[in-house]
Amino acid sequence: MQELASGGRRRNRASSLKLTDVAPPPSTWWPGGLGKVSTHVVVYARLITNGKDHGVHGIIVQLRSLDDHTPLPGITIGDIGMKFGNGAYNSMDNGFLMFDHFRIPRDQMLMRLSKVTRDGKYVASDVPRQLVYGTMVYVRQSIVSNASTALARAVCIATRYSAVRRQFGSQNGGTKTQVIDYKTQQNRLFPLLASAYAFRFVGEWLKWLYTDVTQRLEASDFATLPEAHACTAGLKSMTTSATSDGIEECRKLCGGHGYLWCSGLSELFDVYVPACTYEEDNVVLQLQVARFLMKTVSQLSFVNVPSGTTVYMGRAKHLLQCSSGVQKVEDWLNPDMVMEAFEARALRMAVTCANNLSKFENQEQGFSELLADLVEVAIAHCQLIVVSKFIAKVEGKIEGKGVKKQLKNLCYIYALYLLHKHLGDFLRTKSVTPEQVALVNDQLRSLYSQLRPNAVALVDAFDYTYHYLGYVLGRYDGNVYPKLFEEALKDPLNDSVVPDGYREYIRPLIKQDFRSAKL
Amino acid sequence: MQELASGGRRRNRASSLKLTDVAPPPSTWWPGGLGKVSTHVVVYARLITNGKDHGVHGIIVQLRSLDDHTPLPGITIGDIGMKFGNGAYNSMDNGFLMFDHFRIPRDQMLMRLSKVTRDGKYVASDVPRQLVYGTMVYVRQSIVSNASTALARAVCIATRYSAVRRQFGSQNGGTKTQVIDYKTQQNRLFPLLASAYAFRFVGEWLKWLYTDVTQRLEASDFATLPEAHACTAGLKSMTTSATSDGIEECRKLCGGHGYLWCSGLSELFDVYVPACTYEEDNVVLQLQVARFLMKTVSQLSFVNVPSGTTVYMGRAKHLLQCSSGVQKVEDWLNPDMVMEAFEARALRMAVTCANNLSKFENQEQGFSELLADLVEVAIAHCQLIVVSKFIAKVEGKIEGKGVKKQLKNLCYIYALYLLHKHLGDFLRTKSVTPEQVALVNDQLRSLYSQLRPNAVALVDAFDYTYHYLGYVLGRYDGNVYPKLFEEALKDPLNDSVVPDGYREYIRPLIKQDFRSAKL
């Protein structure tokens, strides 16, 4: 007597499992390849045997006949319909799946670990559940690397086109100013360029982290898993959110032409944004980070010494009472001073939040009430990780003449841009003073000026092909306008100069001959 | 001898004007209705007669034969190609237009005001140039109203679906929590709901402002025009940027289903975002506001008393040295205290920026250098306007039982959300203290709880039709899931259960019969 149920009905048959009939919402919606192609799926559902719920388990389910591809009786399956954008995921076979009184042979359950015996007895696995997090760490670290690639692509297009495009700045018919020379353009574009590099370096580090965790898991050492899990969850969230927003900002930075399909940016946006939702919603992920951080803070007074990316929390005593030593503009290029500001901000926010939580009698109720604050705590921690990995990178050995100098520029642009963007956090935690903030802005302007001559080279360094960047605005040769025109001429609407429908709709209007009009 | 030229060549013919041949970039790109339909356009181009440039003037130009709709000799015209999204502006006849040695009869110039005589003499108009701003004020105030409508539409969909959708919150098979009950959802959604109302009220006020300015212009009173112009420019920028971001945030707030075409949100985003670019790029607009504010600040020490939306600058002495009197959570519902915080922040940022500008020997060079700061000054001023109009609205007479209470909630959610979002500004100008900031967060949480029971009613109040909202997620009856399924079934892909191409591509793979495969 066992059942895999999202509802609650049970049957008395020992040799098969049953998926209860599901009223809409269907039991699943979205999986790729499901709607039209797949013949089999692995269904994850709650396993209930002898009235006891044993949690989610996987079973192999055949969906379609292997002879004629028709769905098996009791299975409804199909395409979920159009998605965002023109292109993007519209070529993906995202499907829905519904079961109606569908039984599955017991031995199709994935039983290498947990088992159900012929007489319906559940045999639990002795393999630690945490192992499943290893896969999550892997998937999410790859999403961080992809974020860097996607953002770099958008930044490459916007940077090159900003160097080609000229607007204003000429009073008497002379050459207009390249838009990349405007501080407003630099102030929006260069932090995104820096972010693309930052996400690349933190992505590389996450790859190392995954390898490290995997080796430890194989040796049954689970100690670093919670921190690695929190870390990848938070960075998946932070980098995909920043990348989605960044791609759209790059589109706006290309002015009206960014809105053309041939800018390459609208397709990139449409295809990228689901990253904020898949593999767990970005806000939910930050709450997982926050829960881990609150636990770490609550244990600070005990013997536990925080490790990995929370190692700064071990210096809580110092970070809670220190004040930033920044006195002049150049101090904001001092790695220790920058790091201390980010660490003080992250720690103080975490500690304040933990204190506020402790005022609630019921911890879970407190957690629910303070969700918005908790997300901010998590973001502060994640930003600290990215900044620290970027600084570690540029303080290390870097090949190539002048490369280190350029990467340092990008690193401090990234850090100070974040500081400026989240100024409220830094000021309310008194991690910096209003006077030090004024110096941040001065330093940023100076860094933008230093970056400007190398901006195009820094996107050329991504070495993206013309095809990969998508069409016209991001051309390596800068030959944008003739190509934009060529691209427009390819549109089927331009196969004729007098459009279809002229005789039926336009001519009768012009000739005031409404009787012959098809309007 | 006269010429309308974007280049610089001249001809010696008195009876016609010449548009110089334009290499790509074409002389125009984007105008709606141009590519396939229009027979005539008004071209705005620089008028050069007898070697002197008289600035931009309008001339009527015939583009196509009125007999067979073919373009006239010397004219190249067509469609600019695909644009962002699937739908949106893709049904708009956005066109390009190029002239090659094209001459226009002199009398096709719009000569009610400025004129060119038969012998090529330019006769200037005595009508003040500022009059043209009247039209800009009109167009931009209508964009602000549209922003409110578009944002309200997105918020309506997201709010209703957040009340329908349930996620987590159930440990033992009971009912899951409505996502609208999560503080993280409220923290993102309710400020957008408040913004939709805020933009509506400021839009109504702008309509009044336009009427007022028009009446003054008719009486040759230009005194209020610069302020009205700055005000509408800034509010167009601020409301369209917030609405674009807000629509995408609403989409994300609907989870995975927001990414479906039938959410209605992707189409709304695609069609809305150009508002950030058309009628002048949003950043350029804020710089116009900033220029006006810098001028106002520089005149503060003279007899001039600032008027209209800059009237607070007349109280500079007080606002530069006052400190916020907020001591307890309830004080953040005090209109005077909220207004003073916003006024102090806006004024202090403007004065600081003006001081920084004055350190440059060359004012224009200083302006270029400080562009990013100037944008922030302008945004602070615009936010103050919206908050002040919202407060004025809710402090006035409002019909309907309980309506005032609900609008007051929205008003303070809007103001305190902005304060939280731009906390860095408020803190670095010392307009509020870190201790007062903690009270802002407490008050916001309380306001969200009070708003929650009325959230759905507050979007129902927009009274949008099912058709207008677009499809499924925003249904008034909340009957989302069966309709989502119905919608999916309408997709042509679901006309068959065995997809086209099964025999050619899928079956040979399943049967391992690769010789018959078309892969």
Side-chain angles (χ1 to χ4, degrees):
Chain A
M1 196 170 74
Q2 57 274 348
E3 189 174 18
L4 291 165
S6 59
R9 289 163 50 173
R10 278 176 288 141
R11 291 276 177 112
N12 285 316
R13 289 253 310 268
S15 61
S16 71
L17 307 165
K18 184 180 169 294
L19 291 163
T20 49
D21 45 334
V22 260
S27 60
T28 193
W29 190 277
W30 277 111
L34 172 66
K36 294 287 155 182
V37 174
S38 296
T39 55
H40 293 75
V41 288
V42 174
V43 170
Y44 284 86
R46 283 165 52 217
L47 175 71
I48 303 172
T49 67
N50 299 325
K52 195 166 172 225
D53 185 342
H54 297 285
V56 172
H57 289 70
I59 36 168
I60 297 169
V61 180
Q62 182 176 347
L63 301 175
R64 292 174 179 269
S65 154
L66 296 183
D67 288 324
D68 62 9
H69 212 58
T70 53
L72 299 187
I75 283 180
T76 308
I77 190 169
D79 185 88
I80 62 168
M82 285 289 289
K83 286 144 274 182
F84 195 6
N86 173 352
Y89 274 82
N90 282 305
S91 57
M92 169 67 83
D93 176 24
N94 294 112
F96 64 78
L97 171 61
M98 293 194 284
F99 294 106
D100 182 18
H101 295 83
F102 194 79
R103 292 193 163 267
I104 306 125
R106 181 187 58 90
D107 58 6
Q108 286 182 203
M109 177 174 161
L110 299 175
M111 292 203 277
R112 189 166 74 96
L113 304 176
S114 312
K115 290 181 179 59
V116 173
T117 61
R118 284 194 69 81
D119 56 351
K121 209 181 126 199
Y122 179 78
V123 184
S125 158
D126 60 352
V127 175
R129 287 231 138 212
Q130 295 99 309
L131 275 179
V132 76
Y133 291 121
T135 311
M136 287 191 190
V137 170
Y138 174 75
V139 173
R140 288 172 184 166
Q141 66 83 21
S142 73
I143 294 177
V144 173
S145 295
N146 294 344
S148 166
T149 315
L151 184 55
R153 202 166 145 185
V155 165
C156 182
I157 296 170
T159 303
R160 286 181 180 168
Y161 184 53
S162 296
V164 168
R165 184 179 170 212
R166 294 173 177 273
Q167 287 267 295
F168 312 118
S170 146
Q171 301 296 331
N172 37 24
T175 317
K176 294 176 179 176
T177 305
Q178 288 167 280
V179 298
I180 199 172
D181 284 326
Y182 289 106
K183 288 284 171 200
T184 35
Q185 195 83 356
Q186 297 177 2
N187 185 51
R188 295 160 74 197
L189 181 60
F190 291 171
L192 296 176
L193 175 56
S195 302
Y197 275 90
F199 298 169
R200 186 181 180 109
F201 295 136
V202 83
E204 283 174 4
W205 171 76
L206 277 180
K207 222 167 272 175
W208 168 84
L209 184 72
Y210 171 69
T211 315
D212 182 64
V213 164
T214 311
Q215 286 167 353
R216 287 171 190 265
L217 290 183
E218 280 166 8
S220 295
D221 169 9
F222 301 108
T224 63
L225 192 57
E227 191 250 320
H229 178 251
C231 184
T232 39
L235 291 173
K236 180 273 182 183
S237 170
M238 182 199 149
T239 56
T240 56
S241 287
T243 297
S244 292
D245 294 349
I247 293 168
E248 169 63 4
E249 185 75 355
C250 284
R251 196 190 60 72
K252 291 202 184 95
L253 283 166
C254 293
H257 289 351
Y259 192 65
L260 287 171
W261 179 250
C262 68
S263 72
L265 291 165
S266 58
E267 168 76 4
L268 183 57
F269 183 77
D270 293 339
V271 85
Y272 191 78
V273 285
C276 298
T277 311
Y278 62 52
E279 294 300 325
E280 198 64 275
D281 174 83
N282 278 354
V283 172
V284 175
L285 284 175
Q286 292 298 8
L287 292 174
Q288 294 176 6
V289 178
R291 207 173 270 275
F292 167 74
L293 293 175
M294 289 304 99
K295 198 173 163 189
T296 308
V297 169
S298 72
Q299 294 172 339
L300 280 182
S301 40
F302 305 109
V303 274
N304 292 38
V305 179
S307 64
T309 56
T310 50
V311 74
Y312 70 99
M313 290 189 158
R315 287 182 284 111
K317 207 176 154 189
H318 167 72
L319 288 174
L320 285 174
Q321 51 80 25
C322 67
S323 46
S324 171
V326 168
Q327 290 182 320
K328 51 193 194 300
V329 177
E330 305 80 74
D331 290 341
W332 280 122
L333 301 179
N334 179 320
D336 295 334
M337 290 187 177
V338 171
M339 279 301 294
E340 191 178 76
F342 275 84
E343 288 177 347
R345 168 231 189 180
L347 183 83
R348 292 175 191 186
M349 286 174 73
V351 168
T352 304
C353 204
N355 287 341
N356 290 340
L357 272 180
S358 68
K359 291 175 196 158
F360 289 84
E361 277 192 31
N362 178 329
Q363 277 290 293
E364 279 310 306
Q365 192 219 324
F367 204 85
S368 298
E369 194 60 30
L370 300 178
L371 285 179
D373 295 355
L374 286 158
V375 169
E376 291 181 351
V377 168
I379 289 172
H381 173 71
C382 292
Q383 290 179 343
L384 165 61
I385 298 175
V386 184
V387 168
S388 71
K389 298 306 164 192
F390 206 160
I391 288 182
K393 181 80 187 178
V394 299
E395 292 299 323
K397 188 171 156 57
I398 292 172
E399 302 281 341
K401 186 164 174 277
V403 175
K404 187 169 190 149
K405 168 99 179 72
Q406 296 310 316
L407 290 181
K408 270 196 175 182
N409 274 2
L410 287 170
C411 174
Y412 290 96
I413 284 176
Y414 182 70
L416 299 182
Y417 146 77
L418 283 185
L419 203 160
H420 181 80
K421 189 174 172 201
H422 297 268
L423 202 50
D425 286 353
F426 286 88
L427 286 170
R428 74 183 150 117
T429 55
K430 298 174 186 171
S431 308
V432 298
T433 65
E435 292 68 30
Q436 291 167 331
V437 168
L439 301 176
V440 168
N441 292 0
D442 292 343
Q443 182 58 260
L444 267 176
R445 271 202 306 281
S446 159
L447 287 169
Y448 293 154
S449 298
Q450 292 170 59
L451 182 68
R452 166 63 189 94
N454 298 290
V456 172
L458 283 163
V459 301
D460 286 352
F462 298 137
D463 203 17
Y464 288 154
T465 62
Y466 178 58
H467 175 77
Y468 184 67
L469 284 180
Y471 312 101
V472 175
L473 298 190
R475 291 180 62 86
Y476 178 75
D477 63 10
N479 198 22
V480 170
Y481 295 109
K483 293 290 172 184
L484 194 64
F485 185 56
E486 269 177 34
E487 199 61 37
L489 290 182
K490 286 181 197 162
D491 194 289
L493 276 172
N494 289 323
D495 290 347
S496 60
V497 282
V498 177
D500 290 350
Y502 163 67
R503 298 229 151 245
E504 297 89 331
Y505 303 104
I506 302 174
R507 190 181 161 86
L509 270 179
I510 293 169
K511 298 293 183 190
Q512 300 279 302
D513 175 14
F514 296 110
R515 270 173 306 174
S516 72
K518 273 203 183 171
L519 291 170
Chain B
M1 196 170 71
Q2 56 275 347
E3 189 175 20
L4 292 165
S6 60
R9 290 162 49 172
R10 278 177 289 143
R11 291 279 176 108
N12 285 317
R13 289 258 305 273
S15 61
S16 70
L17 306 167
K18 183 177 169 299
L19 291 163
T20 49
D21 46 332
V22 260
S27 60
T28 191
W29 190 277
W30 277 110
L34 172 66
K36 294 287 154 182
V37 175
S38 297
T39 55
H40 293 75
V41 288
V42 175
V43 170
Y44 284 88
R46 284 166 50 216
L47 176 70
I48 303 172
T49 68
N50 299 326
K52 195 166 171 229
D53 185 343
H54 298 285
V56 172
H57 288 69
I59 37 167
I60 297 170
V61 180
Q62 182 176 347
L63 301 176
R64 292 175 179 268
S65 154
L66 296 183
D67 288 323
D68 62 7
H69 211 58
T70 53
L72 300 186
I75 282 180
T76 308
I77 190 169
D79 184 88
I80 61 170
M82 284 290 289
K83 286 144 274 182
F84 195 4
N86 173 353
Y89 274 81
N90 282 305
S91 57
M92 169 68 82
D93 176 24
N94 293 110
F96 64 80
L97 171 61
M98 294 193 286
F99 296 106
D100 182 18
H101 294 85
F102 194 79
R103 292 196 161 267
I104 306 125
R106 181 187 60 90
D107 57 7
Q108 287 182 201
M109 178 175 160
L110 299 175
M111 292 204 279
R112 189 166 74 95
L113 305 174
S114 310
K115 290 182 179 58
V116 175
T117 63
R118 284 195 67 81
D119 57 351
K121 211 182 126 200
Y122 179 78
V123 184
S125 159
D126 60 352
V127 175
R129 285 233 140 209
Q130 296 99 308
L131 275 180
V132 77
Y133 291 120
T135 311
M136 286 190 192
V137 170
Y138 173 75
V139 172
R140 288 171 184 168
Q141 65 83 23
S142 72
I143 294 177
V144 173
S145 295
N146 294 344
S148 167
T149 315
L151 185 55
R153 203 165 143 185
V155 164
C156 182
I157 295 170
T159 302
R160 287 180 180 169
Y161 184 54
S162 296
V164 168
R165 184 179 172 212
R166 293 173 179 273
Q167 287 267 294
F168 312 117
S170 147
Q171 300 298 329
N172 37 25
T175 318
K176 294 176 177 176
T177 306
Q178 288 167 280
V179 298
I180 200 173
D181 284 327
Y182 289 107
K183 288 286 170 198
T184 34
Q185 194 82 357
Q186 297 178 3
N187 185 52
R188 296 159 74 195
L189 181 60
F190 291 172
L192 296 176
L193 174 56
S195 302
Y197 274 90
F199 298 169
R200 186 181 180 110
F201 296 135
V202 83
E204 282 173 5
W205 171 75
L206 277 180
K207 223 167 270 175
W208 168 84
L209 184 74
Y210 171 68
T211 315
D212 181 65
V213 164
T214 310
Q215 284 167 354
R216 286 170 191 267
L217 291 183
E218 279 165 8
S220 295
D221 169 8
F222 300 106
T224 65
L225 192 57
E227 191 248 321
H229 178 249
C231 185
T232 38
L235 290 172
K236 180 272 182 185
S237 170
M238 182 198 149
T239 57
T240 55
S241 287
T243 297
S244 292
D245 294 347
I247 293 168
E248 170 62 3
E249 185 74 354
C250 284
R251 196 188 61 71
K252 291 202 185 94
L253 284 166
C254 294
H257 290 351
Y259 192 66
L260 287 171
W261 179 250
C262 66
S263 73
L265 291 165
S266 58
E267 167 76 6
L268 183 57
F269 183 78
D270 292 339
V271 85
Y272 191 78
V273 286
C276 298
T277 311
Y278 63 52
E279 294 299 326
E280 199 64 273
D281 174 84
N282 279 355
V283 172
V284 174
L285 284 174
Q286 293 297 10
L287 292 174
Q288 294 176 5
V289 178
R291 206 173 270 277
F292 167 74
L293 292 175
M294 290 303 101
K295 197 172 165 190
T296 308
V297 169
S298 72
Q299 293 171 342
L300 279 183
S301 41
F302 305 109
V303 274
N304 293 38
V305 178
S307 64
T309 56
T310 50
V311 74
Y312 71 99
M313 291 188 158
R315 288 181 285 110
K317 207 174 153 193
H318 168 72
L319 289 173
L320 285 175
Q321 51 79 28
C322 67
S323 46
S324 171
V326 169
Q327 290 181 319
K328 50 192 193 303
V329 177
E330 305 81 73
D331 289 342
W332 280 124
L333 300 179
N334 179 320
D336 295 335
M337 290 189 180
V338 171
M339 279 302 293
E340 192 179 75
F342 274 85
E343 287 177 348
R345 167 228 190 183
L347 183 83
R348 292 175 192 187
M349 285 174 75
V351 168
T352 303
C353 203
N355 287 342
N356 290 340
L357 272 180
S358 69
K359 291 174 195 159
F360 288 83
E361 276 191 31
N362 178 328
Q363 278 290 293
E364 280 309 306
Q365 193 221 324
F367 204 86
S368 297
E369 195 59 30
L370 299 178
L371 285 179
D373 295 354
L374 286 158
V375 170
E376 291 181 352
V377 167
I379 289 172
H381 174 70
C382 293
Q383 291 179 342
L384 165 61
I385 298 175
V386 183
V387 168
S388 71
K389 298 306 165 192
F390 206 161
I391 288 182
K393 181 79 188 179
V394 298
E395 293 298 323
K397 189 171 154 56
I398 292 172
E399 303 281 342
K401 186 164 174 278
V403 174
K404 187 169 191 150
K405 168 97 179 72
Q406 296 310 316
L407 291 181
K408 269 198 175 181
N409 274 1
L410 287 170
C411 174
Y412 289 96
I413 284 175
Y414 183 70
L416 299 183
Y417 147 77
L418 283 184
L419 204 158
H420 181 79
K421 190 176 173 197
H422 296 267
L423 203 51
D425 286 353
F426 286 88
L427 286 170
R428 75 184 150 118
T429 56
K430 298 175 185 170
S431 307
V432 298
T433 65
E435 292 68 31
Q436 291 166 332
V437 166
L439 302 175
V440 167
N441 291 0
D442 293 343
Q443 182 58 260
L444 267 176
R445 272 203 306 279
S446 159
L447 287 169
Y448 293 154
S449 297
Q450 292 169 57
L451 182 68
R452 166 65 189 92
N454 298 290
V456 172
L458 283 163
V459 301
D460 286 352
F462 298 136
D463 205 16
Y464 288 152
T465 62
Y466 179 57
H467 176 76
Y468 184 66
L469 285 181
Y471 312 99
V472 175
L473 299 190
R475 292 180 62 87
Y476 179 74
D477 63 9
N479 198 22
V480 168
Y481 296 109
K483 293 290 171 185
L484 194 64
F485 185 56
E486 269 178 34
E487 199 61 37
L489 289 182
K490 286 182 197 162
D491 195 290
L493 276 173
N494 288 323
D495 290 348
S496 59
V497 282
V498 177
D500 291 351
Y502 162 67
R503 298 225 152 247
E504 298 88 334
Y505 303 104
I506 301 173
R507 190 181 159 86
L509 270 180
I510 293 170
K511 299 292 182 190
Q512 300 280 301
D513 175 14
F514 296 110
R515 269 173 304 176
S516 72
K518 274 203 184 171
L519 291 171

